Amino acid sequence: RGTVQFEAPKLYAGKVNFAARYDAGQPKVVEFTLPKYRLTIAPDEKGVWHPQRAASQDADLSTAALYLHAALLAGTVDDERYRAIKVAFFAREPMPGHLIADDHMSHVIKQMRSLLSRAATRSNCWWQRDISNGPHVLLPDTKSLRRAVYIILAHARWRSQEGDHSAAMADIVALVALGRHQQRDSVLSGCQSGLANELITLRQALKLAHTLSDAQRQELATALETLPRVTIDNGRVMDSERATWAWIGKHGVATLKWPVSLKRPLADEKHLEAVVSAAETYFDQIEPVLELPTAEALARLKAIQDDIPVPTRSVLYEVLPTFSGLLEWRQRAVDMTAVTIAYLRREELPS
């Protein structure tokens, strides 16, 4: 047993505990434990890794751990099948049952739905973030959760096709709750991912509406109205962005696992120094602006960005979040929720 630095792009990055057994003189890892999520993963007889925990622990799990568990399960769906699910999802055709309903997928989706529905009832979600190993460690779970969203939305469409509208409605509500819980994150990418997941799900709710009875539409509208609207903690997000750019200024970009297109403008030390310095001033100026009404905040953000010296501004626009997108998406999510609920409440839907 011991502690190691663990890095799996689709899973987790950070320090974890491990247990190993010796087999013919060779150590074989049989368990990893992620302490901050109180989650253990272990291989089955086929060597496939799965989350493991005793039933008595479920009540004590954090909301984020439930979502991480669902993301891990989504990762057990092979890439070829997942690509096929996404192609079918975006096609204007029925969802093929063989992608969703075989024994393996039925088992995986059943577990995912249970985790998501339990998390949806929680009033809070604390995403524990640590960028001491670099800001790239924040990315894996947002990608895995998007994978989970598409799998469950595909399942909702298939169940609706089969006439099980209650299951489809439950999936919609659970995924809107996921998106809003993600908006409690302390990092910008997590908040943006949550807003995107909420919008993706609300669009599917509008499509689902035409398959529902009037009573079911009213039920879904009430469920969506009941979900609390999350207020993004701009102060925590700003603190995280400051910490990210302080880390980049200290360590450079060589070890960052970002796309080359993002790292290239920062490779020059003079550019990097100028951008990090500008970022500090920029964050100080925009933090109070984020609390203003959306239209006013967007106008003020543009004025602040236009005051940045041109050479630095060109690099900043490539690598630094402007926060304009966050404000626009947040307003779009509010508007889309209102539109979806109003549409579901209509006495008659257009053909």
Side-chain angles (χ1 to χ4, degrees):
R1 293 181 178 273
T3 301
V4 294
Q5 184 67 29
F6 186 95
E7 191 154 340
K10 293 183 180 180
L11 174 65
Y12 180 84
K15 289 184 178 179
V16 300
N17 300 321
F18 72 90
R21 291 197 180 97
Y22 277 86
D23 182 11
Q26 296 295 320
K28 180 180 180 182
V29 175
V30 295
E31 178 184 284
F32 283 110
T33 304
L34 287 59
K36 68 182 181 183
Y37 289 110
R38 287 174 288 177
L39 185 70
T40 296
I41 56 173
D44 60 20
E45 65 276 3
K46 296 180 180 179
V48 178
W49 292 73
H50 297 283
Q52 306 287 321
R53 62 169 67 87
S56 61
Q57 292 179 303
D58 279 356
D60 197 37
L61 284 171
S62 71
T63 310
L66 292 172
Y67 285 135
L68 180 65
H69 189 173
L72 292 173
L73 289 166
T76 67
V77 177
D78 66 86
D79 289 343
E80 183 177 352
R81 184 191 292 256
Y82 176 62
R83 284 193 294 269
I85 287 173
K86 284 194 68 177
V87 168
F89 178 81
F90 288 109
R92 295 188 175 186
E93 297 176 1
M95 179 61 60
H98 70 273
L99 293 176
I100 299 296
D102 65 17
D103 289 344
H104 171 67
M105 286 299 291
S106 294
H107 179 66
V108 168
I109 289 174
K110 181 180 179 180
Q111 293 183 78
M112 289 172 64
R113 294 181 75 235
S114 174
L115 291 160
L116 292 170
S117 64
R118 291 209 304 276
T121 65
R122 304 289 182 87
S123 61
N124 209 341
C125 184
W126 180 254
W127 299 92
Q128 302 183 58
R129 299 303 191 183
D130 176 12
I131 65 164
S132 58
N133 296 302
H136 55 273
V137 304
L138 304 175
L139 300 177
D141 57 295
T142 58
K143 294 180 180 179
S144 299
L145 284 169
R146 181 64 52 77
R147 189 184 188 103
V149 165
Y150 279 123
I151 290 171
I152 296 301
L153 284 177
H155 171 265
R157 184 184 297 180
W158 178 73
R159 291 296 284 267
S160 179
Q161 291 168 196
E162 297 295 304
D164 190 353
H165 302 302
S166 294
M169 291 160 57
D171 287 343
I172 293 292
V173 174
L175 292 179
V176 172
L178 161 63
R180 294 189 183 175
H181 274 317
Q182 285 184 276
Q183 293 162 46
R184 300 181 190 275
D185 210 331
S186 61
V187 298
L188 186 64
S189 60
C191 295
Q192 289 177 320
S193 176
L195 288 164
N197 287 337
E198 181 180 355
L199 287 165
I200 290 168
T201 305
L202 289 172
R203 290 191 188 101
Q204 294 308 303
L206 289 172
K207 294 180 180 179
L208 178 66
H210 288 265
T211 70
L212 303 177
S213 68
D214 181 64
Q216 288 169 331
R217 292 200 306 272
Q218 302 306 316
E219 181 184 346
L220 180 56
T222 300
L224 293 175
E225 283 178 329
T226 303
L227 288 174
R229 166 62 60 190
V230 172
T231 300
I232 294 173
D233 190 334
N234 294 320
R236 288 179 63 218
V237 173
M238 292 299 301
D239 288 344
S240 178
E241 289 299 321
R242 286 189 177 97
T244 293
W245 285 91
W247 188 98
I248 293 172
K250 182 178 179 181
H251 296 89
V253 296
T255 59
L256 269 180
K257 294 180 180 176
W258 281 0
V260 174
S261 60
L262 287 180
K263 293 199 292 185
R264 188 183 297 116
L266 298 173
D268 184 296
E269 286 189 11
K270 290 183 179 179
H271 269 172
L272 178 61
E273 184 178 342
V275 169
V276 171
S277 176
E280 293 175 359
T281 303
Y282 176 69
F283 290 144
D284 287 341
Q285 289 178 322
I286 69 173
E287 185 168 4
V289 173
L290 298 179
E291 303 300 331
L292 298 173
T294 302
E296 183 180 353
L298 289 171
R300 291 280 297 277
L301 282 175
K302 184 179 185 305
I304 291 170
Q305 291 157 17
D306 288 345
D307 284 341
I308 298 172
V310 174
T312 303
R313 187 195 311 165
S314 63
V315 179
L316 277 175
Y317 277 171
E318 292 188 61
V319 298
L320 193 65
T322 64
F323 285 86
S324 299
L326 180 67
L327 296 176
E328 290 169 349
W329 281 35
R330 183 173 62 186
Q331 188 60 51
R332 195 178 303 168
V334 171
D335 295 343
M336 188 69 169
T337 300
V339 166
T340 303
I341 291 172
Y343 194 75
L344 290 167
R345 293 287 191 204
R346 293 178 67 165
E347 293 184 5
E348 291 185 16
L349 299 185
S351 59

mmCIF file of all heavy atoms in Angstrom, residues 188-206:
data_model
loop_
_atom_site.group_PDB
_atom_site.id
_atom_site.type_symbol
_atom_site.label_atom_id
_atom_site.label_comp_id
_atom_site.label_asym_id
_atom_site.label_seq_id
_atom_site.Cartn_x
_atom_site.Cartn_y
_atom_site.Cartn_z
ATOM 1 N N LEU A 188 -13.976 28.235 -13.901
ATOM 2 C CA LEU A 188 -14.764 28.723 -15.028
ATOM 3 C C LEU A 188 -15.190 27.587 -15.952
ATOM 4 O O LEU A 188 -16.344 27.526 -16.386
ATOM 5 C CB LEU A 188 -13.954 29.762 -15.804
ATOM 6 C CG LEU A 188 -14.665 30.490 -16.935
ATOM 7 C CD1 LEU A 188 -15.811 31.328 -16.391
ATOM 8 C CD2 LEU A 188 -13.680 31.377 -17.691
ATOM 9 N N SER A 189 -14.272 26.664 -16.247
ATOM 10 C CA SER A 189 -14.603 25.577 -17.177
ATOM 11 C C SER A 189 -15.717 24.703 -16.627
ATOM 12 O O SER A 189 -16.563 24.211 -17.382
ATOM 13 C CB SER A 189 -13.357 24.732 -17.465
ATOM 14 O OG SER A 189 -12.845 24.156 -16.271
ATOM 15 N N GLY A 190 -15.747 24.501 -15.305
ATOM 16 C CA GLY A 190 -16.808 23.704 -14.706
ATOM 17 C C GLY A 190 -18.159 24.393 -14.811
ATOM 18 O O GLY A 190 -19.172 23.763 -15.142
ATOM 19 N N CYS A 191 -18.191 25.700 -14.540
ATOM 20 C CA CYS A 191 -19.446 26.463 -14.649
ATOM 21 C C CYS A 191 -19.958 26.464 -16.085
ATOM 22 O O CYS A 191 -21.156 26.273 -16.340
ATOM 23 C CB CYS A 191 -19.234 27.895 -14.172
ATOM 24 S SG CYS A 191 -18.840 28.050 -12.419
ATOM 25 N N GLN A 192 -19.050 26.687 -17.032
ATOM 26 C CA GLN A 192 -19.457 26.712 -18.439
ATOM 27 C C GLN A 192 -19.964 25.349 -18.890
ATOM 28 O O GLN A 192 -20.938 25.262 -19.642
ATOM 29 C CB GLN A 192 -18.283 27.164 -19.310
ATOM 30 C CG GLN A 192 -17.953 28.644 -19.149
ATOM 31 C CD GLN A 192 -16.746 29.057 -19.952
ATOM 32 O OE1 GLN A 192 -15.753 28.332 -20.037
ATOM 33 N NE2 GLN A 192 -16.791 30.252 -20.526
ATOM 34 N N SER A 193 -19.309 24.281 -18.426
ATOM 35 C CA SER A 193 -19.768 22.938 -18.762
ATOM 36 C C SER A 193 -21.166 22.701 -18.214
ATOM 37 O O SER A 193 -22.022 22.113 -18.890
ATOM 38 C CB SER A 193 -18.793 21.899 -18.198
ATOM 39 O OG SER A 193 -19.265 20.581 -18.422
ATOM 40 N N GLY A 194 -21.418 23.172 -16.994
ATOM 41 C CA GLY A 194 -22.743 23.011 -16.410
ATOM 42 C C GLY A 194 -23.813 23.751 -17.184
ATOM 43 O O GLY A 194 -24.915 23.237 -17.407
ATOM 44 N N LEU A 195 -23.506 24.983 -17.603
ATOM 45 C CA LEU A 195 -24.467 25.758 -18.392
ATOM 46 C C LEU A 195 -24.752 25.062 -19.723
ATOM 47 O O LEU A 195 -25.902 24.985 -20.167
ATOM 48 C CB LEU A 195 -23.927 27.164 -18.634
ATOM 49 C CG LEU A 195 -23.930 28.089 -17.407
ATOM 50 C CD1 LEU A 195 -23.041 29.305 -17.647
ATOM 51 C CD2 LEU A 195 -25.352 28.530 -17.060
ATOM 52 N N ALA A 196 -23.692 24.546 -20.352
ATOM 53 C CA ALA A 196 -23.877 23.846 -21.631
ATOM 54 C C ALA A 196 -24.735 22.600 -21.443
ATOM 55 O O ALA A 196 -25.637 22.325 -22.249
ATOM 56 C CB ALA A 196 -22.519 23.479 -22.222
ATOM 57 N N ASN A 197 -24.478 21.827 -20.383
ATOM 58 C CA ASN A 197 -25.250 20.609 -20.139
ATOM 59 C C ASN A 197 -26.714 20.928 -19.856
ATOM 60 O O ASN A 197 -27.620 20.195 -20.280
ATOM 61 C CB ASN A 197 -24.646 19.823 -18.976
ATOM 62 C CG ASN A 197 -23.338 19.142 -19.364
ATOM 63 O OD1 ASN A 197 -23.093 18.884 -20.540
ATOM 64 N ND2 ASN A 197 -22.494 18.874 -18.391
ATOM 65 N N GLU A 198 -26.966 22.028 -19.145
ATOM 66 C CA GLU A 198 -28.347 22.433 -18.893
ATOM 67 C C GLU A 198 -29.040 22.802 -20.201
ATOM 68 O O GLU A 198 -30.183 22.375 -20.457
ATOM 69 C CB GLU A 198 -28.389 23.622 -17.928
ATOM 70 C CG GLU A 198 -29.810 24.076 -17.622
ATOM 71 C CD GLU A 198 -29.877 25.249 -16.659
ATOM 72 O OE1 GLU A 198 -28.822 25.667 -16.131
ATOM 73 O OE2 GLU A 198 -30.992 25.753 -16.433
ATOM 74 N N LEU A 199 -28.368 23.568 -21.055
ATOM 75 C CA LEU A 199 -28.978 23.988 -22.320
ATOM 76 C C LEU A 199 -29.230 22.803 -23.241
ATOM 77 O O LEU A 199 -30.289 22.708 -23.887
ATOM 78 C CB LEU A 199 -28.076 25.014 -23.008
ATOM 79 C CG LEU A 199 -28.061 26.409 -22.363
ATOM 80 C CD1 LEU A 199 -26.883 27.227 -22.875
ATOM 81 C CD2 LEU A 199 -29.374 27.133 -22.648
ATOM 82 N N ILE A 200 -28.274 21.889 -23.325
ATOM 83 C CA ILE A 200 -28.438 20.682 -24.156
ATOM 84 C C ILE A 200 -29.676 19.905 -23.704
ATOM 85 O O ILE A 200 -30.483 19.441 -24.515
ATOM 86 C CB ILE A 200 -27.179 19.791 -24.061
ATOM 87 C CG1 ILE A 200 -26.000 20.455 -24.768
ATOM 88 C CG2 ILE A 200 -27.444 18.409 -24.665
ATOM 89 C CD1 ILE A 200 -24.666 19.791 -24.468
ATOM 90 N N THR A 201 -29.826 19.771 -22.390
ATOM 91 C CA THR A 201 -30.941 18.989 -21.843
ATOM 92 C C THR A 201 -32.276 19.691 -22.057
ATOM 93 O O THR A 201 -33.285 19.052 -22.390
ATOM 94 C CB THR A 201 -30.710 18.728 -20.344
ATOM 95 O OG1 THR A 201 -29.436 18.094 -20.158
ATOM 96 C CG2 THR A 201 -31.795 17.827 -19.782
ATOM 97 N N LEU A 202 -32.318 21.012 -21.877
ATOM 98 C CA LEU A 202 -33.575 21.745 -22.076
ATOM 99 C C LEU A 202 -34.042 21.653 -23.528
ATOM 100 O O LEU A 202 -35.254 21.580 -23.798
ATOM 101 C CB LEU A 202 -33.402 23.202 -21.654
ATOM 102 C CG LEU A 202 -33.264 23.437 -20.142
ATOM 103 C CD1 LEU A 202 -32.891 24.884 -19.856
ATOM 104 C CD2 LEU A 202 -34.551 23.059 -19.404
ATOM 105 N N ARG A 203 -33.098 21.661 -24.465
ATOM 106 C CA ARG A 203 -33.493 21.493 -25.877
ATOM 107 C C ARG A 203 -34.180 20.142 -26.089
ATOM 108 O O ARG A 203 -35.139 20.026 -26.853
ATOM 109 C CB ARG A 203 -32.275 21.625 -26.783
ATOM 110 C CG ARG A 203 -31.708 23.041 -26.855
ATOM 111 C CD ARG A 203 -30.678 23.168 -27.959
ATOM 112 N NE ARG A 203 -30.014 24.459 -27.900
ATOM 113 C CZ ARG A 203 -28.813 24.655 -27.382
ATOM 114 N NH1 ARG A 203 -28.138 23.635 -26.889
ATOM 115 N NH2 ARG A 203 -28.274 25.858 -27.354
ATOM 116 N N GLN A 204 -33.663 19.113 -25.406
ATOM 117 C CA GLN A 204 -34.280 17.793 -25.537
ATOM 118 C C GLN A 204 -35.638 17.744 -24.855
ATOM 119 O O GLN A 204 -36.536 17.021 -25.294
ATOM 120 C CB GLN A 204 -33.341 16.725 -24.956
ATOM 121 C CG GLN A 204 -32.046 16.557 -25.720
ATOM 122 C CD GLN A 204 -32.284 16.353 -27.202
ATOM 123 O OE1 GLN A 204 -32.994 15.432 -27.621
ATOM 124 N NE2 GLN A 204 -31.685 17.216 -28.021
ATOM 125 N N ALA A 205 -35.797 18.530 -23.798
ATOM 126 C CA ALA A 205 -37.105 18.593 -23.140
ATOM 127 C C ALA A 205 -38.153 19.150 -24.095
ATOM 128 O O ALA A 205 -39.302 18.688 -24.114
ATOM 129 C CB ALA A 205 -37.007 19.454 -21.882
ATOM 130 N N LEU A 206 -37.774 20.155 -24.894
ATOM 131 C CA LEU A 206 -38.701 20.718 -25.874
ATOM 132 C C LEU A 206 -39.091 19.678 -26.930
ATOM 133 O O LEU A 206 -40.245 19.599 -27.350
ATOM 134 C CB LEU A 206 -38.073 21.941 -26.551
ATOM 135 C CG LEU A 206 -37.938 23.195 -25.685
ATOM 136 C CD1 LEU A 206 -37.134 24.257 -26.421
ATOM 137 C CD2 LEU A 206 -39.317 23.740 -25.309
#
